[in-house]
């Protein structure tokens, strides 16, 4: 297997657009790492540079400590699974999976053995005689993954492989790919714009924006300790609420806006005292808001009166969309909550779990 290092890697296109900007990533052997971010953030370009399909403008890429900047894709010992499957329509599933091995002149017996092993792993052994047009989207994706498996590469690269599948099949396939990683014990680099995929699949996640790496961390560390407002808002569904306000002192430390004044716990006040009088952004996740009357310990100074705008029953929970002094919030409530649309509704904030960001730089206040 292999480790992969990107050292100050950049990509500047002919129109002087800097698609990837001095990216540093150290991927460990056998790690499943996910590159995630909005469209145009540079994640797919980064993956294509690792594969050798895109020329590097600056920096260095190493696979197993070997610099591969000038190494052709076929000699990098990687296999890539694309968004559009890239299957040959005139070939059978077997022929598609065997094609790369035939080009490398592997013995016929070994080709058959490798294809059979991969087909067994992916439960497509009954499809080997079919053509791609006879397969569903999920089956085609399995064939594309199988074609990569037979190569037994050092590194697997996945470029948004599930984006063409329906929601239910995406959930199933991401589970299958995670199982595959456990079974093959190989290095996998996976690109997606879907933060749910990233959170459920990656050992670590690389969050990108505008060609730059924002944070590299485990899923839970990204969720619990985002380094800036962008990461905080990108990771989590529904997204984190952001409220503009200021830190004020009034027999303790408070976060204040036009419509609310929330006490900051003593355990957090030492960190935030230096920002008294400055504009800050409070970030709070939907699950850290609760109905005041149902809160285990009601704390008036950590609550605010809001107006209910929309209620979305989700079966085992309720999403409540709220307004307060021009600010919009979403709360994830339990089914015991009974909010009424257009009614006043007191909400308690779990201020021990609140995040604070500097208004100008958007960096987290840790």
């Amino acid at each position: 297997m292999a480790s992969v290092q990107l050292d100050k890697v950049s990509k500047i296109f002919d129109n002087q657009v800097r698609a990837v900007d001095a990216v540093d990533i150290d991927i460990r052997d056998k790690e499943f790492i996910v590159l995630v971010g909005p469209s145009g953030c540079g994640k797919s370009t980064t993956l294509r540079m690792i594969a050798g399909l895109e020329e590097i403008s600056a920096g260095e890429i190493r696979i197993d400590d070997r610099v591969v900047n000038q190494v052709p894709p076929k000699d990098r010992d990687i296999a890539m699974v694309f968004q559009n499957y890239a299957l040959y329509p005139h070939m059978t599933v077997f022929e598609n999976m065997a094609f790369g091995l035939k080009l490398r002149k592997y013995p016929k017996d070994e080709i058959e053995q490798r294809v059979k092993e991969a087909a067994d792993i992916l439960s497509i052994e009954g499809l080997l005689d079919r053509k791609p047009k006879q397969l569903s989207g999920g089956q085609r994706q399995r064939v594309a993954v199988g074609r990569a498996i037979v190569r037994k590469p050092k590194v697997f690269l996945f470029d948004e492989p599930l984006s063409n599948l329906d929601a239910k099949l995406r959930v199933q396939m991401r589970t299958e790919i995670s199982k595959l990683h456990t079974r093959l014990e190989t290095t996998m680099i996976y690109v997606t714009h879907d933060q749910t995929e990233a959170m459920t699949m990656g050992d670590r996640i690389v969050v990108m924006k505008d060609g730059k790496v924002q944070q590299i961390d485990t899923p839970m560390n990204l969720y619990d300790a985002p380094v800036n407002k962008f990461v905080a808002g990108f990771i989590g569904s529904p997204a984190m609420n952001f409220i503009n306000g200021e830190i004020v002192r009034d027999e303790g430390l408070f976060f204040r806006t036009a419509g609310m004044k929330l006490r900051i716990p003593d355990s957090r006040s030492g960190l935030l005292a230096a920002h008294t009088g400055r504009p800050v952004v409070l970030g709070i996740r939907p699950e850290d808001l609760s109905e005041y009357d149902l809160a285990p310990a009601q704390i008036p100074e950590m609550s605010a009166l809001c107006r209910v705008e929309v209620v979305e029953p989700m079966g085992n929970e309720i999403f409540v969309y709220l307004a307060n002094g021009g600010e919009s919030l979403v709360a994830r409530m339990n089914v015991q909550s009974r909010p009424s649309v257009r009614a006043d509704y007191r909400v308690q904030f779990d201020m021990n779990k609140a995040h604070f960001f500097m208004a100008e730089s958007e960096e987290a206040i840790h």
Side-chain angles (χ1 to χ4, degrees):
M1 299 306 106
S3 60
V4 179
Q5 288 86 36
L6 282 72
D7 186 5
K8 300 286 184 291
V9 170
S10 295
K11 177 62 182 181
I12 305 169
F13 287 106
D14 293 339
N15 56 3
Q16 297 307 302
V17 171
R18 187 175 286 270
V20 177
D21 190 1
V23 162
D24 289 316
I25 307 174
D26 191 350
I27 302 165
R28 298 186 282 264
D29 182 27
K30 301 180 184 177
E31 187 171 26
F32 194 130
I33 199 154
V34 180
L35 309 185
V36 69
S39 296
C41 72
K43 56 190 184 295
S44 288
T45 302
T46 301
L47 195 76
R48 290 174 64 83
M49 287 192 289
I50 296 170
L53 301 175
E54 200 74 67
E55 190 176 335
I56 299 167
S57 302
E60 194 172 85
I61 295 179
R62 296 184 295 277
I63 299 177
D64 256 357
D65 294 325
R66 172 195 180 204
V67 177
V68 296
N69 289 28
Q70 305 301 323
V71 176
K74 65 183 179 63
D75 298 326
R76 294 194 182 194
D77 202 3
I78 54 94
M80 191 158 176
V81 179
F82 296 93
Q83 177 179 345
N84 62 357
Y85 320 136
L87 302 177
Y88 295 107
H90 62 286
M91 293 184 182
T92 64
V93 167
F94 180 94
E95 290 166 340
N96 267 285
M97 291 172 66
F99 185 69
L101 300 180
K102 286 182 179 177
L103 283 182
R104 290 168 177 77
K105 299 194 166 34
Y106 277 78
K108 185 178 178 183
D109 289 350
E110 185 172 354
I111 290 174
E112 289 186 357
Q113 180 189 346
R114 287 197 182 195
V115 171
K116 184 179 183 305
E117 284 176 359
D120 287 345
I121 289 171
L122 295 164
S123 301
I124 54 171
E125 56 269 33
L127 307 177
L128 294 176
D129 294 328
R130 295 190 191 179
K131 298 280 181 67
K133 67 180 180 182
Q134 299 171 295
L135 305 177
S136 68
Q139 290 170 334
R140 290 179 198 176
Q141 191 55 272
R142 287 171 189 267
V143 175
V145 173
R147 184 179 52 194
I149 290 174
V150 298
R151 295 262 311 278
K152 297 186 177 178
K154 285 184 176 179
V155 183
F156 283 90
L157 307 178
F158 294 87
D159 189 8
E160 306 231 24
L162 310 184
S163 59
N164 288 338
L165 305 180
D166 64 54
K168 185 176 179 181
L169 199 50
R170 272 206 307 274
V171 173
Q172 181 186 337
M173 281 302 298
R174 77 181 185 222
T175 304
E176 293 300 321
I177 292 173
S178 294
K179 284 188 201 168
L180 189 64
H181 175 250
T182 303
R183 180 165 180 173
L184 298 180
E185 294 187 322
T186 189
T187 306
M188 290 187 176
I189 307 172
Y190 188 103
V191 160
T192 181
H193 64 275
D194 184 332
Q195 57 91 17
T196 303
E197 268 181 39
M199 289 289 285
T200 54
M201 297 176 76
D203 296 327
R204 286 189 301 153
I205 300 171
V206 181
V207 182
M208 296 184 69
K209 177 192 177 191
D210 298 334
K212 294 179 181 288
V213 171
Q214 302 295 305
Q215 187 172 355
I216 304 176
D217 219 324
T218 63
M220 289 317 299
N221 282 348
L222 282 177
Y223 194 81
D224 293 334
V227 298
N228 59 35
K229 185 181 169 185
F230 174 79
V231 175
F234 193 82
I235 299 296
S237 181
M240 181 182 285
N241 297 294
F242 295 114
I243 308 167
N244 296 300
E246 62 177 343
I247 304 292
V248 296
R249 197 177 282 283
D250 180 11
E251 295 183 8
L253 219 55
F254 289 79
F255 172 79
R256 184 177 67 188
T257 72
M260 62 180 77
K261 186 179 176 185
L262 303 168
R263 175 177 284 280
I264 296 168
D266 292 342
S267 59
R268 311 286 303 279
S269 60
L271 195 65
L272 293 163
H275 297 272
T276 302
R278 297 180 190 171
V280 297
V281 179
L282 166 69
I284 190 146
R285 297 206 178 274
E287 59 268 29
D288 296 327
L289 299 173
S290 58
E291 182 175 323
Y292 181 77
D293 291 340
L294 296 177
Q298 296 172 349
I299 307 172
E301 292 179 318
M302 292 186 188
S303 71
L305 193 63
C306 301
R307 186 85 169 168
V308 178
E309 301 205 311
V310 177
V311 177
E312 289 183 346
M314 305 298 289
N316 63 337
E317 59 189 2
I318 301 170
F319 292 167
V320 185
Y321 294 83
L322 305 158
N324 173 286
E327 300 284 353
S328 296
L329 304 169
V330 58
R332 176 184 262 138
M333 303 285 190
N334 61 43
V335 290
Q336 281 74 43
S337 301
R338 291 289 181 267
S340 299
V341 175
R342 292 191 294 276
D344 288 339
Y345 191 62
R346 183 162 290 278
V347 174
Q348 181 150 307
F349 290 64
D350 187 343
M351 293 299 287
N352 287 299
K353 294 183 179 176
H355 301 260
F356 290 90
F357 306 92
M358 290 181 280
E360 191 169 338
S361 70
E362 298 192 346
E363 296 297 310
I365 302 171
H366 286 311

Coordinates of all heavy atoms in Angstrom, one line a residue, residues 4 19 33-34 50 74 80 98-99 118 152 157-158 174 187-189 192 211 214 236 244 257 259 283 297 315 328 344:
V4 N 0.6 9.1 0.7 CA 0.6 10.1 -0.4 C 0.9 11.5 0.3 O 0.2 11.8 1.3 CB -0.7 10.2 -1.1 CG1 -0.7 11.3 -2.2 CG2 -1.0 8.8 -1.8
A19 N -6.6 27.5 -9.4 CA -7.7 26.5 -9.0 C -7.3 25.8 -7.7 O -8.2 25.5 -6.9 CB -7.9 25.5 -10.1
I33 N -9.3 9.0 3.1 CA -9.4 10.5 3.3 C -10.3 11.1 2.3 O -10.4 10.6 1.1 CB -8.0 11.1 3.2 CG1 -8.0 12.5 3.8 CG2 -7.4 11.2 1.8 CD1 -6.6 13.0 4.4
V34 N -11.1 12.0 2.7 CA -12.1 12.6 1.8 C -11.8 14.1 1.6 O -11.6 14.8 2.6 CB -13.5 12.4 2.5 CG1 -14.6 13.1 1.5 CG2 -13.9 11.0 2.7
I50 N -3.0 14.3 -8.4 CA -2.5 13.1 -7.8 C -2.5 11.9 -8.8 O -1.5 11.1 -8.9 CB -3.3 12.6 -6.6 CG1 -3.2 13.7 -5.5 CG2 -2.9 11.3 -6.0 CD1 -4.2 13.5 -4.3
K74 N -0.1 6.0 -15.9 CA 0.0 4.5 -15.9 C 1.1 4.0 -15.1 O 1.1 2.8 -14.7 CB 0.2 4.0 -17.4 CG 1.5 4.4 -18.0 CD 1.5 3.9 -19.5 CE 2.8 4.3 -20.2 NZ 4.0 3.7 -19.6
M80 N -8.4 4.9 -10.7 CA -9.4 6.0 -10.5 C -10.8 5.6 -10.9 O -10.9 4.9 -11.9 CB -8.9 7.3 -11.3 CG -9.7 8.5 -10.9 SD -8.8 10.0 -11.4 CE -9.9 11.3 -11.0
A98 N -11.5 -6.5 -17.2 CA -10.2 -7.1 -17.6 C -9.3 -6.2 -18.5 O -8.1 -6.5 -18.7 CB -10.5 -8.4 -18.3
F99 N -9.9 -5.2 -19.1 CA -9.3 -4.4 -20.1 C -7.9 -3.9 -19.7 O -6.9 -4.0 -20.5 CB -10.2 -3.2 -20.6 CG -9.6 -2.5 -21.7 CD1 -9.6 -3.1 -23.0 CD2 -9.1 -1.2 -21.6 CE1 -9.1 -2.4 -24.1 CE2 -8.6 -0.5 -22.7 CZ -8.6 -1.1 -23.9
A118 N -12.8 -9.9 -7.8 CA -13.4 -8.5 -7.7 C -14.9 -8.6 -7.8 O -15.7 -8.0 -7.1 CB -12.8 -7.6 -8.7
K152 N -5.3 -4.0 -8.4 CA -4.5 -4.0 -7.1 C -3.6 -2.9 -6.9 O -2.4 -3.1 -6.7 CB -3.8 -5.4 -6.9 CG -4.8 -6.6 -6.9 CD -4.1 -7.9 -6.6 CE -5.1 -9.0 -6.5 NZ -4.5 -10.3 -6.3
L157 N -8.4 6.2 -6.2 CA -9.0 7.6 -6.2 C -10.4 7.6 -6.7 O -10.7 6.9 -7.7 CB -8.1 8.4 -7.2 CG -6.6 8.5 -7.0 CD1 -5.9 9.3 -8.1 CD2 -6.2 9.0 -5.6
F158 N -11.3 8.2 -6.0 CA -12.7 8.3 -6.3 C -13.1 9.7 -6.6 O -13.0 10.6 -5.7 CB -13.6 7.7 -5.2 CG -13.4 6.2 -4.9 CD1 -12.4 5.8 -4.1 CD2 -14.2 5.3 -5.5 CE1 -12.2 4.5 -3.8 CE2 -14.1 4.0 -5.3 CZ -13.1 3.5 -4.4
R174 N -22.3 4.0 -0.5 CA -21.2 4.6 0.4 C -20.9 3.6 1.5 O -19.7 3.5 1.9 CB -21.6 5.9 0.9 CG -22.6 6.0 2.1 CD -22.9 7.4 2.5 NE -23.7 7.5 3.6 CZ -24.7 8.3 3.8 NH1 -25.0 9.2 2.8 NH2 -25.5 8.4 4.9
T187 N -5.0 2.5 0.6 CA -5.2 3.9 0.7 C -6.3 4.4 -0.3 O -6.2 4.0 -1.5 CB -3.9 4.6 0.4 OG1 -2.8 4.0 1.2 CG2 -4.0 6.1 0.6
M188 N -7.2 5.1 0.2 CA -8.3 5.6 -0.6 C -8.4 7.2 -0.5 O -8.5 7.6 0.7 CB -9.6 5.0 -0.3 CG -9.7 3.5 -0.7 SD -11.4 2.8 -0.5 CE -11.1 1.1 -1.2
I189 N -8.5 7.9 -1.6 CA -8.8 9.3 -1.6 C -10.1 9.5 -2.4 O -10.2 9.1 -3.5 CB -7.6 10.1 -2.3 CG1 -6.3 9.6 -1.6 CG2 -7.8 11.6 -2.1 CD1 -5.0 10.2 -2.3
T192 N -15.9 14.5 -2.9 CA -17.4 14.7 -2.9 C -17.7 16.1 -2.5 O -16.9 16.8 -1.8 CB -18.0 13.7 -1.9 OG1 -19.5 13.9 -2.0 CG2 -17.6 13.9 -0.5
G211 N -9.8 26.8 -3.5 CA -8.4 26.3 -3.8 C -7.5 26.1 -2.6 O -6.4 25.6 -2.8
Q214 N -8.9 24.4 4.2 CA -9.4 25.1 5.4 C -9.1 24.4 6.7 O -8.7 25.0 7.7 CB -10.9 25.4 5.3 CG -11.4 26.1 4.1 CD -10.8 27.5 4.0 OE1 -11.1 28.3 5.0 NE2 -10.1 27.9 3.0
G236 N -22.3 19.5 8.8 CA -23.5 19.4 9.7 C -24.7 19.7 8.9 O -24.7 20.6 8.0
N244 N -25.2 37.4 14.2 CA -24.2 38.5 14.4 C -24.6 39.3 15.6 O -25.7 39.6 15.9 CB -24.3 39.5 13.2 CG -23.9 38.8 11.9 OD1 -22.7 38.3 11.8 ND2 -24.8 38.7 10.9
T257 N -27.6 40.9 20.8 CA -28.0 41.4 19.5 C -29.2 42.2 19.8 O -29.6 42.4 20.9 CB -28.5 40.2 18.6 OG1 -29.7 39.7 19.0 CG2 -27.4 39.1 18.5
G259 N -32.3 41.5 19.4 CA -33.4 40.7 19.9 C -33.1 39.7 21.0 O -34.0 39.1 21.5
G283 N -22.2 30.9 16.7 CA -22.6 29.8 15.9 C -23.2 28.8 16.9 O -22.6 28.4 17.9
A297 N -33.0 21.9 32.6 CA -32.7 23.0 33.6 C -33.0 24.3 32.8 O -32.2 24.7 31.9 CB -31.3 22.9 34.0
G315 N -40.7 12.8 11.6 CA -40.9 11.5 12.1 C -40.4 11.4 13.5 O -41.2 11.5 14.5
S328 N -32.5 34.6 11.4 CA -33.2 33.3 11.1 C -32.5 32.2 11.8 O -31.3 32.1 11.7 CB -33.4 33.1 9.6 OG -34.2 34.1 9.1
D344 N -45.4 32.9 19.3 CA -44.1 33.2 20.0 C -43.7 31.9 20.7 O -44.5 31.0 21.1 CB -44.3 34.2 21.1 CG -44.5 35.6 20.5 OD1 -44.1 35.8 19.3 OD2 -45.1 36.5 21.1

